Amino acid sequence: MRLVILDNYDLASEWAAKYICNRIIQFKPGQDRYFTLGLPTGSTPLGCYKKLIEYHKNGDLSFKYVKTFNMDEYVGLPRNHPESYHSYMWNNFFKHIDIDPNNAHILDGNATDLQAECDAFEKKIKEAGGIDLFVGGIGPDGHIAFNEPGSSLVSRTRLKTLAMDTILANAKYFDGDLSKVPTMALTVGVGTVMDAREVMILITGAHKAFALYKAIEEGVNHMWTVSAFQQHPRTIFVCDEDATLELRVKTVKYFKGLMHVHNKLVDPLYSMKEGN
Amino acid sequence: MRGGQDGARAPVLQFTNCRILRGQALLREDLWVREGRVLDPEKLFFEERRVADERRDCGGCILAPGFIDVQINGGFGVDFSQATEDVGSGVALVAQRILSHGVTSFCPTLVTSPPEVYHKVLPQIPVKSGGPHGAGVLGVHLEGPFISREKRGAHPEAHLRSFETNAFHDVLATYGPLDNVRIVTLAPELGRSHEVIQALTARGICVSLGHSVANLQAAEEAVQSGATFITHLFNAMLPFHHRDPGIVGLLTSDRLPPGRHIFYGMIADGTHTNPAALRIAHRAHPQGLVLVTDAVPALGLGNGRHTLGQQEVEVDGLTAYVAGEPPAHPSSRGIQESGCCSVELALEAASLHPAQLLGLEKRKGTLDFGADADFVMLDDSLHVRATYISGELVWQAEAARQ
């Protein structure tokens, strides 16, 4: 793995956004060649989305030939509910960029046949040629997407019941009322994300530090599903200082020492403008 | 695309780089319009999988719902209370000229007049949708003749009437058919007013209290019978008194029907009401504030003699004898300049609140999804740069035309 450590949340968000930007542009997407991007929700990626929007508004980055696949969506929440992931993606990303609505895929938590919806999603990913870069986060319980502790590490897109840790973490979006938080969600599986050609996990904040420790310094374990990515050939963990608080000093020093190498991935920052 | 309906194929217009008034706040959001109505872009994206067909950059302007003037007696030489053969043309002229003031809907107002005038004029002012031709007519506002002698203001004494003999029948005899009538201003202390208020309200007509010497109790009883508006608060009514606040006391009365509050019109031109009084009213009851012009035919014209119904009015600069209206259009800008309240509230007082008064708030006075796309483009000083009705540009300031 690469472990990229930045001083604070803003710098981590910016590094991640620059990386995504460069990957898209270097791919040279076009009409017959779409860049496929897996996307997360939650508070962690907000800064990254803001920077990507900034690059788009500056004319440096277009999403015209990008296809996106979101990781998950609540079950039973109306699509236009302010806390649905559809609303999140519209307000925090899609409405600010030039992506074709037909290329923005999010699981439908109100489908009549939920498993069929999940199977169809897997099929769409396959038809799109697989995911080039899957961006994700980590839950305080070490989950990736809604693959709660105990999820199979080779799982596919399916319905999951949320763990108490997750419900507690999400209560803040529902006026702190636990009874209002959805209890089920559709989610890509660990195996689905492992299939991506590249994976980038964003982890910021001290409250995620223990999960990060479990994910990268302990063994591969279905209780901390992000640990599965120890077996992925190309994973980047992007974090801030606070997220490293539970790691060994040795680990942190090693990877900080590699920052000059890591920074070559984001500097120079490419642009889609003419002459760049 | 999915769905074969023509509506779905209609062009989608996206107004960008603007702040829109929504939920009493100015939000940095785009305004999406299709087929004359405000569109939900999130729904368009996820369900129809479409983007805008055309984008218009608003240059950072404020987009507010079009203003609704529920009390305007005429303007630009037109007097709605004159019984001519072609009242329609006069209404049309005013409707067209007020677009430049950001007014997209209005209630032509008739002052106290003899029955012949009502019988001749009312059938000639039908309810009409707005468009490039002019602001929409929501219905007529009849101010008088059932008002108080002492508080008649500019209204001619000779034509004041009461309905104590035959209550609602007297009303019908005076006005004729009420099909085109939207608001009636009356004095509730007149005998049998409760029957009249109930009968008018049952027909969907908004009853307003004004030109009256009613005390608070009489006013409260009128509201309990169905009255929902106060015509130009403070003017032509008893002044606030701490032992009997009169009609003004309705703003804080606890004897109104549950779930209802009173709306009150204010002429925010700095002349009819001292700004300090305006602020007292607004602070006591901000959600009821409705800005009106009470404009007279002299609006937009110079000094000289003009009519106001059966009276003649002399206009000289900013004052008009017989309590008229200065030839400027007091608007949200005026009330905001008086330091009275926030921009957002001032804008709502000119759009949302009059729409709520008339029960139109689902379609008018708002930029919520599904509402009619009647809106104004304003600069930060609240000058009108452009006016739109049903998503169509109907007026534009000179400077903006380049």
Side-chain angles (χ1 to χ4, degrees), chain A residues 79-80 86-87 90 94-95 99 101-102 104 106, chain B residues 2 29 32 41-43 45-47 49-51:
Chain A
R79 198 216 63 233
N80 61 358
H86 280 77
S87 293
W90 168 254
F94 295 147
K95 81 176 177 193
I99 190 167
N102 288 298
I106 308 181
Chain B
R2 302 92 187 100
E29 289 284 352
W32 294 63
E42 186 181 341
K43 198 160 181 239
F45 186 91
F46 287 125
E47 286 181 17
R49 308 234 161 239
R50 274 184 69 179
V51 292

Side-chain angles (χ1 to χ4, degrees), chain B residues 239-254:
Chain B
F240 175 90
H241 185 284
H242 56 283
R243 276 193 292 276
D244 190 338
I247 291 175
V248 178
L250 288 176
L251 268 58
T252 46
S253 165
D254 59 358

Side-chain angles (χ1 to χ4, degrees), chain B residues 173-290:
Chain B
T174 303
Y175 294 140
L178 297 174
D179 305 2
N180 297 333
V181 176
R182 201 65 189 80
I183 307 174
V184 171
T185 292
L186 51 78
E189 69 272 19
L190 298 184
R192 300 183 77 176
S193 67
H194 296 291
E195 293 168 58
V196 170
I197 294 172
Q198 280 166 354
L200 289 170
T201 310
R203 277 165 178 71
I205 293 174
C206 166
V207 175
S208 183
L209 309 179
H211 289 277
S212 159
V213 294
N215 58 20
L216 178 58
Q217 185 176 343
E220 284 167 339
E221 284 164 9
V223 173
Q224 282 153 14
S225 293
T228 51
F229 195 41
I230 301 172
T231 299
H232 44 58
L233 186 77
F234 295 129
N235 302 111
M237 57 186 64
L238 293 177
F240 175 90
H241 185 284
H242 56 283
R243 276 193 292 276
D244 190 338
I247 291 175
V248 178
L250 288 176
L251 268 58
T252 46
S253 165
D254 59 358
R255 291 189 55 223
L256 302 188
R260 270 222 276 134
H261 66 82
I262 193 82
F263 289 93
Y264 55 99
M266 291 285 263
I267 308 172
D269 59 358
T271 304
H272 281 80
T273 306
N274 185 296
L278 175 53
R279 262 175 248 130
I280 287 178
H282 142 259
R283 282 182 206 175
H285 182 33
Q287 294 313 311
L289 176 62
V290 171

Side-chain angles (χ1 to χ4, degrees), chain B residues 17-19 21 26 58-67 99-103 331-333 336 343 346-348 350-351 375-388 395:
Chain B
N17 192 12
C18 53
R19 288 159 287 158
L21 182 70
L26 284 174
C58 299
C61 279
I62 293 171
L63 296 189
F67 302 139
L99 291 178
S100 65
H101 296 282
V103 178
S331 58
S332 297
R333 175 158 49 87
Q336 204 226 348
V343 168
L347 291 173
E348 285 197 338
S351 58
F375 60 94
V376 281
M377 214 177 277
L378 306 164
D379 65 19
D380 282 343
S381 311
L382 301 188
H383 290 102
V384 180
R385 317 283 299 145
T387 306
Y388 286 77
W395 184 85

Side-chain angles (χ1 to χ4, degrees), chain B residues 30-49:
Chain B
D30 294 345
L31 183 72
W32 294 63
V33 175
R34 179 167 64 182
E35 289 199 299
R37 300 231 184 153
V38 178
L39 184 65
D40 180 350
E42 186 181 341
K43 198 160 181 239
L44 185 76
F45 186 91
F46 287 125
E47 286 181 17
E48 294 181 51
R49 308 234 161 239

